[in-house]
Amino acid sequence: MLNYFFGLFSHDLAIDLGTVNTLVYVKGKGIAIREPSVVARHRKSKKILAIGTDAKRMQGKTPIQIEAFRPLKDGVIADFDATEAMLHHYITLVHENHSSFLPIIPRPKVVVGIPSGVTEVERRAVQDACLSAGARIAYLIEEPMAAAIGANLPVSEAKGSMIVDIGGGTTEIAVISLGGIVINKSLRIAGDELDDSIVSYVRLKHSLLMGLPSSELVKKTIGSAHHSKEEKHMVVRGRDLENGLPKSVRLSSAEVREAMASVINQIIEMIDETVEEIPPELVGDVMEQGITLAGGGALLDGIDKAISEATKMPVWVVEDPLTCVVRGAARLLDNKSLLDRVRVTGGLK
C-alpha cells in the first residue's frame, strides 16, 4: 500500500548509468537529464561539492583537498557512496522540476541499463545504489538489449538482430532473438581508451603532455576511424616534456586516426569473433539486417565504414546513438509485456 502511495506522486525513470555520461528519462516527459558522470567531493570529510557538469569543470583544476572523479569505471561502480549520491541527486532533481506535490519524498520505479559482462556482485551494487538513492523498485536491463529496443530492432521476434553499443567504458556486442541475448561479448575497451591512446601518441611523438579533456575534444573534432578525402587539423596545448614549458602542437586527422587504430582494431576483432559464433539459422537475418551501431562511439567519423569493410556486412548507425540505451529502457516503463519478455532482473527494498 505504501509503495502504491509513493507511486502516485513519483515519476517513473529510465536511467543510462554510463561511465562518461548519465541520462535520465522521465516517463511521459522525455529525457530530463544529460549530465557527465562526475562527482566532486572533499577528500577528508567526503562531503559532495558538485555533481555532473559543475564537477566536470573542476577535473584537473582542483586543490589538493578536493577530488573530482568518475564514480564508475568500465561501466561498473567503482565508488558506491559517490554513485549513490549522484543517483540521489538526479532522482531528487527530476521530482523538484516536475512534481507539483512537494515535499513528497520521491520513490520512483527505475529501469537501469548495465553492461552485459558485469558480475552478480556488480549487478547487485547498481541495484542497491538505486534503492539507497530513493527508488521503490529497481529493474536492471543489459545495455545491448536496451540499445536494441531503443533502435527499434525486432527483439521479440524469431529473427536475429546484431547490436554494437560503443560507450565510454565498455563496448557491448550482442546478437538478440526471441527477447533474449543469444551471443554477447562485453569488452572493457571503448571511448576512454580512445582518449588514452591519443594522449600516449602525442606524448611519444611530440613530447607533449596533454590532459584527457583535451584528448576527448581532439577525438570529437578531428578523430576518424576511416580514411577521408578531407584532412582536418587542430592545435592542442600542453606541457613540453623536455623543458616543462607550455607548448602547442598542430595535429592532423591522419595522426589521430593512427593513434586510435589499435583500439579500434581490438573492437573490430571482437565484432569479427562474435559474427563467427552466430548460429547458422541467424546468420542470414544478421546479413540481411546488418550490424546496428549505438552509443557515443558510433559518432566517431567513419567507424561504420571501418566495421563494414572488416566484416563484409552492412553497418548502420541509429538515430541519436547517445540516447539509444535510455530510450530502450524507457520503453520498458510503458510496456509491461516487453518488460516480462526480455531478460530483466528486479529488486524490492
Side-chain angles (χ1 to χ4, degrees):
M1 186 67 183
L2 191 60
N3 274 342
Y4 173 76
F5 172 76
F6 282 128
L8 289 176
F9 301 103
S10 295
H11 299 285
D12 291 342
L13 309 176
I15 300 176
D16 178 6
L17 190 61
T19 306
V20 178
N21 296 294
T22 296
L23 285 79
V24 180
Y25 184 105
V26 183
K27 183 178 178 180
K29 307 284 185 180
I31 297 173
I33 291 172
R34 300 181 189 219
E35 291 279 327
S37 302
V38 182
V39 172
R41 70 182 176 191
H42 196 279
R43 289 181 187 274
K44 191 172 182 181
S45 67
K46 302 300 181 184
K47 179 183 177 183
I48 302 295
L49 304 176
I51 293 172
T53 303
D54 292 338
K56 186 173 182 179
R57 291 196 192 104
M58 298 182 183
Q59 279 189 305
K61 304 175 183 178
T62 58
I64 195 167
Q65 67 269 27
I66 297 174
E67 56 181 347
F69 64 101
R70 292 179 185 169
L72 293 106
K73 183 174 176 58
D74 297 333
V76 298
I77 293 176
D79 189 305
F80 184 87
D81 292 336
T83 303
E84 181 189 328
M86 185 173 71
L87 284 169
H88 187 273
H89 171 74
Y90 290 144
I91 289 172
T92 305
L93 186 63
V94 163
H95 285 80
E96 284 178 354
N97 291 341
H98 293 90
S99 181
S100 58
F101 196 87
L102 287 173
I104 277 289
I105 302 169
R107 300 281 285 169
K109 178 173 75 177
V110 175
V111 178
V112 187
I114 58 169
S116 59
V118 300
T119 64
E120 194 58 41
V121 173
E122 292 166 338
R123 185 184 293 266
R124 189 69 196 176
V126 175
Q127 203 166 55
D128 288 347
C130 292
L131 296 173
S132 299
R136 73 180 186 277
I137 183 170
Y139 292 102
L140 306 182
I141 179 171
E142 292 173 329
E143 285 176 356
M145 177 63 80
I149 295 170
N152 294 317
L153 297 180
V155 296
S156 57
E157 297 178 15
K159 187 176 183 180
S161 302
M162 187 167 179
I163 184 93
V164 178
D165 177 23
I166 308 173
T170 60
T171 296
E172 304 288 328
I173 306 164
V175 177
I176 296 167
S177 178
L178 291 171
I181 295 176
V182 180
I183 302 170
N184 77 283
K185 305 275 187 183
S186 185
L187 185 66
R188 296 196 175 186
I189 293 176
D192 283 348
E193 281 68 30
L194 290 172
D195 297 341
D196 290 337
S197 67
I198 296 171
V199 171
S200 298
Y201 180 89
V202 172
R203 184 176 66 244
L204 291 171
K205 185 171 180 180
H206 298 286
S207 296
L208 178 76
L209 184 62
M210 62 188 292
L212 284 172
S214 299
S215 173
E216 184 182 5
L217 183 61
V218 168
K219 179 184 69 178
K220 290 179 178 178
T221 307
I222 64 171
S224 64
H226 193 271
H227 294 283
S228 59
K229 294 179 181 178
E230 182 185 355
E231 286 295 313
K232 300 175 183 177
H233 295 84
M234 180 179 177
V235 174
V236 296
R237 296 174 178 84
R239 189 172 75 240
D240 192 325
L241 290 172
E242 294 177 359
N243 56 31
L245 298 175
K247 179 181 177 180
S248 298
V249 169
R250 189 168 184 258
L251 289 179
S252 68
S253 53
E255 287 181 295
V256 178
R257 188 163 55 248
E258 182 185 344
M260 299 189 297
S262 62
V263 176
I264 292 170
N265 287 338
Q266 288 183 67
I267 293 172
I268 291 175
E269 283 173 16
M270 186 62 73
I271 295 172
D272 270 337
E273 288 179 21
T274 308
V275 170
E276 289 172 6
E277 295 177 20
I278 299 175
E281 293 79 8
L282 298 177
V283 168
D285 297 334
V286 175
M287 285 292 293
E288 180 185 343
Q289 187 168 266
I291 299 172
T292 305
L293 290 186
L299 295 171
L300 183 64
D301 188 35
I303 187 73
D304 52 340
K305 293 179 182 176
I307 294 172
S308 181
E309 284 185 4
T311 59
K312 305 296 187 290
M313 294 172 65
V315 177
W316 62 283
V317 179
V318 302
E319 184 180 353
D320 196 6
L322 274 170
T323 65
C324 198
V325 170
V326 77
R327 283 187 282 116
R331 284 183 60 185
L332 298 177
L333 293 172
D334 301 313
N335 193 330
K336 190 178 185 304
S337 63
L338 186 62
L339 186 70
D340 294 335
R341 277 203 303 273
V342 300
R343 207 181 315 166
V344 178
T345 57
L348 288 168
K349 193 170 184 180

